[in-house]
Amino acid sequence: MVATVSSTSLLEQPELLERRLQEIPQEPGVYFMGDRQGEILYIGKAKKLRTRVRSYFRDSQPHTARIALMVQQVAEIEFIVTDTEAEALALEANLIKQHQPHFNVLLKDDKKYPYVCITWSEIYPRIFITRKRRLNQAKDRYYGPYVDSFSLRQTLRLIQRIFPLRQRRQPLFKHRPCLNYHIGRCPGVCQELITPEDYRQTLQKVAMVFQGRTQELHQLLTQQMEKAAADLKFEQAALIRDQINSLGKLNTDQKVSLPQDTISRDAIAVASDGQISAIQLFQIRAGRLVGRLGFFADGVESELEKGEVLQRVLEQHYQQVEAVEIPSEVILPCALPDRELLNDWLTSQRGRKVTFNLPQRQTKAELLEMVERNAQYELERLQKQTAKNVTALEDLAEILDLETLPKRIEGYDISHIQGSNAVASQVVFIDGVPAQQYYRHYKIKNPSIKVGHSDDFASLAEVITRRFQSSVKGKKNQQDWPDLIMIDGGKGQLSAVVKVLTEMDLLDKFMVVSLAKQREEIFLPGESQPLPTHAEQPGVQLLRRLRDEAHRFAVSFHRQQRLSKSRRSRLDEIPGLGFSRQKQLLAHFRSLDYIREASVKQLQEVPGIGPQLAQTIYDYFHPVNS
């Protein structure tokens, strides 16, 4: 990596700019554009780094207004050379996620679109619908995000009737399977009545449905049915026959009329109002619509910007899928800025040629038109929600006499049981929408707050101090400061927070209010009476949503801490069993009851538990009567 830093814009120093460009090699890699303060403005990839970076500074090169503004601020250029273009593409994606540069196209993390998750990291994987993609387990697989959540749930319910699958996260009984096993809905995972290998084979078939490989799955099941019949296993053959018949009900109303129904295609389109963009990706397999995925990004105003958004969506999507899910053709509404690089990478991943086409024939043009129409519908839905949020923000600004709309609002709440396991939550709404990436938990550290002694005022004072002290000391920038802080409580809680902010000389930096639960009353600092509002006002409802979210987040963390403590309380009494080994035990057995029932041999299966310690744990739960 080479860093080239200038105190002024490189555009203002042509000779220095030329020297810096000459230092960049003609190799594949990733480049960084930085400003005078060292902040990363833009991250990109290229097959030839010098050629790509130089293109930004050519007068003849067409740029979007966003990129043209970025170029004027560039005072620093860095780069990382990679061995291949594919490595550059993957590295760029990771760096964009890490740094979130202002001028890059960033996909919005919208929680209304659900995913299907298969937890391959577990011995007996689970399958479920979720709106959160957790990336801490690399083996787990997410499919989506799916736009039609109702259809998705219907599909999963049908799959659970077709294939016997694990139904519960934790077993209902210790020594026997539940009713799901007896009616054929579960293969008896809780009692290990099926081997992990056999169960995973079933999950592989289920995964084929969400990979758009239903036709391939149909052929596979047909072969298995014929083999079972040939081996005189008629009950097994009949069961597979029923599975084949049930699979035919999937997507029966989603037939797309295309003449070449053996070709797998993805069609993508975008609709934008200049503020936000709605992107739709239709997955066509064997002439059938098997998936409709949705994404959001910042607004676009030109064909160049549209191409950048679509490129970003396709890169992110295809990096998260398996090779068998990559189609042979991608239908586009416009050209992509790095089409050749993405095309080569997808071809290498798939092992067969992948083509990008702008539709010329009538059938493909009609397909793209359908995708664009659905993208427009999603944009209109989002606009209605945005308008509702703007109305609430305008009403709240009027209630609090704010000069501008509060873009970032933070809410705080305390949760405990008579002082035990006291925790706090910080939730953030941006433009009236929950921004979960900024949520935070706090464990209350005040030693005076313990079992039998609670102090919400002191707890809030501690949390607010910890939230802002690093920024005040200059360790962090102040760009993430809120426009409005809402405290769950009445005048007492508000006074405790106001006192802390006054001592930190921050009270004039943002508005602070409290929302009392009983009558949904809003209190301002120094005022004995609440503001004249009613509970159904849009602005008050927005604060209520923020308060309820802060309460939910605090309570869930408190329960987690309480459960963790109760599970470890007995384990703490076992000699030689430290905190890390307690975690290993609980992660392996999932329950204190199962640890109690485990044999010495089973205990030794846990990493870090040797024969002597296993015997000690067993003896603790099975004392010999004297």
Side-chain angles (χ1 to χ4, degrees):
M1 179 188 290
V2 175
T4 62
V5 184
S6 171
S7 59
T8 59
S9 168
L10 288 177
L11 277 179
E12 300 171 5
Q13 306 176 76
E15 294 182 0
L16 176 60
L17 172 60
E18 183 59 31
R19 288 201 304 270
R20 300 314 190 207
L21 292 175
Q22 289 296 329
E23 294 172 354
I24 302 175
Q26 288 284 38
E27 301 279 347
V30 175
Y31 57 90
F32 306 73
M33 303 286 196
D35 62 12
R36 298 178 183 87
Q37 288 74 41
E39 294 289 330
I40 296 178
L41 300 173
Y42 186 84
I43 298 175
K45 62 186 175 305
K47 295 177 69 173
K48 297 181 179 180
L49 281 168
R50 185 193 304 162
T51 301
R52 169 56 61 83
V53 175
R54 185 183 291 277
S55 69
Y56 285 95
F57 300 96
R58 291 197 186 107
D59 295 335
S60 60
Q61 182 71 24
H63 289 311
T64 63
R66 175 174 55 87
I67 295 299
L69 178 61
M70 181 272 293
V71 171
Q72 295 174 8
Q73 302 178 36
V74 174
E76 172 183 349
I77 301 174
E78 299 180 3
F79 62 85
I80 299 176
V81 174
T82 59
D83 292 333
T84 65
E85 294 92 335
E87 290 180 4
L89 191 149
L91 178 59
E92 180 209 33
N94 291 331
L95 291 172
I96 289 175
K97 288 179 184 178
Q98 177 183 349
H99 296 287
Q100 300 280 299
H102 177 72
F103 288 96
N104 276 93
V105 172
L106 302 176
L107 301 186
K108 303 293 185 181
D109 186 18
D110 195 282
K111 297 296 186 298
K112 77 172 187 175
Y113 286 162
Y115 295 83
V116 170
C117 177
I118 300 180
T119 58
W120 294 110
S121 58
E122 300 181 17
I123 298 176
Y124 289 96
R126 293 175 295 126
I127 179 170
F128 55 90
I129 295 175
T130 179
R131 295 180 187 270
K132 296 181 181 179
R133 292 186 69 251
R134 304 183 185 277
L135 304 178
N136 55 335
Q137 292 290 349
K139 293 182 179 180
D140 291 351
R141 179 72 179 85
Y142 289 84
Y143 302 92
Y146 292 98
V147 175
D148 191 345
S149 58
F150 176 76
S151 176
L152 175 62
R153 294 182 189 281
Q154 280 189 319
T155 298
L156 187 57
R157 281 196 292 268
L158 181 57
I159 287 173
Q160 289 172 335
R161 289 198 296 269
I162 297 173
F163 299 100
L165 298 173
R166 175 181 176 179
Q167 300 291 324
R168 295 177 175 273
R169 185 185 183 95
Q170 298 294 339
L172 189 61
F173 306 110
K174 292 182 183 178
H175 303 299
R176 62 182 176 88
C178 64
L179 181 63
N180 287 311
Y181 170 75
H182 297 289
I183 64 176
R185 291 289 182 87
C186 175
V189 167
C190 62
Q191 304 302 318
E192 298 185 1
L193 300 179
I194 183 174
T195 65
E197 294 75 18
D198 290 342
Y199 184 71
R200 283 172 173 264
Q201 288 180 7
T202 301
L203 258 294
Q204 290 286 0
K205 296 174 184 175
V206 173
M208 292 173 71
V209 174
F210 295 101
Q211 292 168 350
R213 302 163 62 196
T214 50
Q215 188 177 37
E216 184 181 340
L217 176 59
H218 188 282
Q219 295 171 353
L220 175 64
L221 291 176
T222 300
Q223 293 173 2
Q224 292 180 352
M225 179 185 66
E226 292 172 350
K227 184 178 186 302
D231 294 340
L232 305 182
K233 299 178 180 178
F234 299 115
E235 289 187 5
Q236 182 181 350
L239 178 62
I240 298 175
R241 178 204 60 201
D242 294 341
Q243 292 177 340
I244 294 172
N245 293 336
S246 298
L247 278 174
K249 299 177 183 178
L250 287 174
N251 302 319
T252 54
D253 59 341
Q254 296 188 8
K255 184 73 176 176
V256 178
S257 179
L258 290 174
Q260 291 177 290
D261 60 1
T262 60
I263 303 297
S264 61
R265 295 182 175 88
D266 282 355
I268 189 169
V270 59
S272 179
D273 62 359
Q275 300 297 319
I276 194 164
S277 300
I279 301 100
Q280 295 276 290
L281 179 67
F282 278 33
Q283 299 170 307
I284 314 298
R285 303 294 183 266
R288 189 178 296 275
L289 176 62
V290 299
R292 180 162 73 100
L293 311 184
F295 308 86
F296 292 114
D298 290 332
V300 299
E301 297 179 351
S302 67
E303 289 294 299
L304 280 174
E305 289 179 327
K306 183 188 292 187
E308 289 180 4
V309 168
L310 296 180
Q311 175 101 22
R312 182 80 183 101
V313 169
L314 292 174
E315 288 175 355
Q316 177 170 307
H317 171 66
Y318 290 127
Q319 286 183 45
Q320 296 167 357
V321 306
E322 298 177 29
V324 294
E325 299 174 60
I326 298 175
S328 58
E329 182 181 42
V330 180
I331 300 175
L332 304 168
C334 63
L336 303 180
D338 285 312
R339 172 175 168 175
E340 183 181 351
L341 191 152
L342 180 59
N343 198 343
D344 292 344
W345 178 72
L346 288 178
T347 298
S348 66
Q349 291 293 104
R350 185 171 183 262
R352 286 180 288 174
K353 185 173 179 58
V354 177
T355 59
F356 286 82
N357 289 325
L358 276 68
Q360 303 295 328
R361 297 181 181 179
Q362 183 178 0
T363 52
K364 294 183 182 180
E366 290 174 351
L367 172 61
L368 188 60
E369 182 183 354
M370 180 180 66
V371 182
E372 290 173 339
R373 192 163 62 249
N374 280 273
Q376 185 63 40
Y377 289 148
E378 285 301 303
L379 178 63
E380 291 172 1
R381 287 173 54 185
L382 187 65
Q383 287 171 333
K384 292 178 181 178
Q385 182 61 47
T386 301
K388 182 179 178 180
N389 291 335
V390 170
T391 299
L393 290 170
E394 289 175 343
D395 185 56
L396 183 59
E398 184 176 348
I399 292 172
L400 301 179
D401 195 24
L402 298 174
E403 295 181 359
T404 59
L405 299 186
K407 181 176 180 63
R408 179 182 175 118
I409 310 175
E410 293 183 1
Y412 294 85
D413 191 19
I414 305 296
S415 182
H416 59 83
I417 295 179
Q418 295 182 343
S420 67
N421 301 113
V423 299
S425 66
Q426 170 196 323
V427 300
V428 179
F429 279 23
I430 294 180
D431 294 329
V433 179
Q436 296 190 7
Q437 65 270 33
Y438 299 117
Y439 285 18
R440 282 192 62 187
H441 285 133
Y442 296 87
K443 293 181 183 178
I444 302 303
K445 299 179 180 180
N446 190 327
S448 66
I449 299 174
K450 52 190 176 182
V451 178
H453 183 270
S454 62
D455 190 337
D456 287 359
F457 301 164
S459 297
L460 282 169
E462 175 188 329
V463 170
I464 295 298
T465 300
R466 289 164 60 184
R467 163 67 177 94
F468 293 104
Q469 65 183 357
S470 59
S471 297
V472 171
K473 293 178 181 178
K475 295 179 181 178
K476 294 173 59 179
N477 63 55
Q478 300 173 5
Q479 295 177 359
D480 64 345
W481 278 12
D483 303 301
L484 173 65
I485 292 178
M486 188 221 66
I487 304 301
D488 183 11
K491 291 183 288 185
Q493 285 86 347
L494 180 60
S495 297
V497 171
V498 167
K499 180 180 178 182
V500 170
L501 292 174
T502 302
E503 293 172 352
M504 301 176 71
D505 197 24
L506 292 179
L507 191 58
D508 60 340
K509 302 297 183 183
F510 28 72
M511 172 73 77
V512 186
V513 301
S514 68
L515 183 65
K517 288 187 177 72
Q518 189 171 5
R519 298 180 181 176
E520 310 295 357
E521 295 174 326
I522 301 174
F523 287 91
L524 296 179
E527 299 291 335
S528 59
Q529 297 297 320
L531 292 174
T533 61
H534 61 83
E536 300 307 315
Q537 277 187 255
V540 178
Q541 288 183 334
L542 175 60
L543 288 185
R544 287 167 60 184
R545 291 200 301 272
L546 180 71
R547 188 268 316 280
D548 293 344
E549 179 70 352
H551 181 70
R552 179 200 66 80
F553 200 51
V555 169
S556 64
F557 185 52
H558 171 68
R559 287 173 178 166
Q560 176 186 332
Q561 295 298 306
R562 193 172 73 244
L563 177 62
S564 177
K565 183 176 180 180
S566 65
R567 293 167 81 187
R568 293 199 305 266
S569 59
R570 292 203 65 186
L571 298 179
D572 286 335
E573 301 173 5
I574 302 176
L577 188 63
F579 177 73
S580 61
R581 286 174 177 168
Q582 290 179 23
K583 288 177 61 179
Q584 294 277 12
L585 273 172
L586 290 169
H588 184 84
F589 288 103
R590 303 287 183 181
S591 167
L592 194 64
D593 292 331
Y594 290 161
I595 297 175
R596 183 187 295 111
E597 296 297 326
S599 65
V600 175
K601 183 178 179 181
Q602 291 172 325
L603 289 169
Q604 291 182 56
E605 296 175 359
V606 180
I609 305 296
Q612 186 174 353
L613 182 56
Q615 188 65 52
T616 301
I617 297 170
Y618 182 84
D619 292 343
Y620 172 81
F621 287 109
H622 304 82
V624 179
N625 295 326
S626 56

